Amino acid sequence: MGRYYQKEIETMPVEEIRKLQSVKLVKQVKHVYENVPYYRGLMDKKGVRPEDVHGIEDLRKLPFLSKSDLRETYPYGMLAVPISDCVRIHSTSGTTGKRVIAYYTQHDVDLWEECCARAIVAAGGTRDDVLQVAYGYGLFTGGAGLHGGSHKVGCLTLPMSSGNTERQIQFMMDLKSTIICCTPSYAAYIGESLKEQGYKPEDNSLKAGIFGAEPWTEEMRRDIEKSLGIKAYDIYGLTETSGPGVAFECEEQNGMHINEDHFIAEIIDPDTGEVLPEGSKGELVFTSLDKQAFPLLRYRTRDICVLSREKCSCGRTFVRMAKPMGRSDDMLIIRGVNVFPSQVETVLLAEGYAPNYRIEIDRVNNTDTFDVFVELLPEQLADTPEGVIQREKALAAAVTTMVGIRPAVHLVPPKTIARSEGKAVRVTDKRKLHD
Ligand code: ADP
Ligand code: ZN
């Protein structure tokens, strides 16, 4: 049986969660309709009034929101309370374009931090832990979210922020950090640096890591677990829904429980907007039930994943989301074939390479080129040139089996691909330059 931060809520019978969501939804729709003219406009256009929403069964009557709505209403068009009630601003990392900002009342910050506290406790965190926050601090939500959650749990919090890996490692060893939170790509980099400094996985005091903010594969999880000697937990969130902590993994490490007392999750067909039955793969949509300042209804995340209501042995009743494969806009269409960078990662790691790679797409003579750059492992440096070519061919064949088209694989010397301290940038799509 599991460890919980708020046992009664986290293990609430599904029927009760539904009732709670219904009551909160009715209230939230009214709050938004009355206070956010932009969304009121969308509802009016669709001919739906707050009185038409009696519970979660009426959710699909409501219009969707997407990133473009948030850009259109930038900066304060979604604000649902007087600005004097707000205490904090955060913003997206801008991975896919102009930044979106989010605003929080103290109540909003508290419930966000509670969600992060649930994630920390699920990963084994207690007041006896030393929790190293190596997510960036600042406008990015990663640092602030886990920092607040760590305080709520009562861990000794090390607000390291990302970067300065030498100091990161020194404090980790000197202060005996037991839990580390950062992006998975940074965790891999820290693991690599520890090894270079001569540390073995068992030399550190870490027992768990809570990693998110970017897609990462199961292969990457195993790599990090091995190099740091820990159990690695996934955490998911986006600025639009507060930040990390919307969903988190329990000790089963088999999908992330969505905090359903605060959020309703739906999976839709990204092309038609149709709500898909449970178990279907599609775009994740969130309705936030408790947020006061920035209460988005039916927000389209563009993250592609699957939900599961299968019972979890941890005792939590919250629905689980599978690891998102990436955003619909991370999907590359190369020579007409859909390719997710995470598929390439799966192959590279399964073939024994380190998670240091780069994908480059271009268009030459009207044909897409697909190049994958991967670092040779230090022990492969002694290979003959023919040996390296053989390796490249074998890797290209393995990627082809996975994604359906053949890349040109280039094995490059170790340490020549930039390491990531935050969200890794793995893809360069040069085709955009020609448009
Ligand atoms: P940006 O949209 O600019 O990247 P955010 O920092 O708000 O800004 O990032 C949220 C996005 O990060 C999510 O929509 C999702 O695509 C990605 N993400 C967050 N956590 C995870 C995770 N655990 N696995 C995969 N992707 C994640
Ligand atoms: Zn569970």
Side-chain angles (χ1 to χ4, degrees), residues 67 92-95 213-215 234-235 237-239 303 324 327 423:
K67 207 149 199 151
T92 58
S93 325
T95 316
E214 63 183 5
D234 203 352
I235 185 167
L238 56 162
T239 313
D303 288 319
R327 276 186 280 218
K423 294 192 189 229

Side-chain angles (χ1 to χ4, degrees), residues 34 54 85-86 95 129 165 215 291 305 362 373 404:
E34 283 169 6
H54 306 283
D85 288 352
C86 294
T95 316
D129 280 292
T165 308
K291 281 167 61 191
C305 83
D362 202 348
F373 298 84

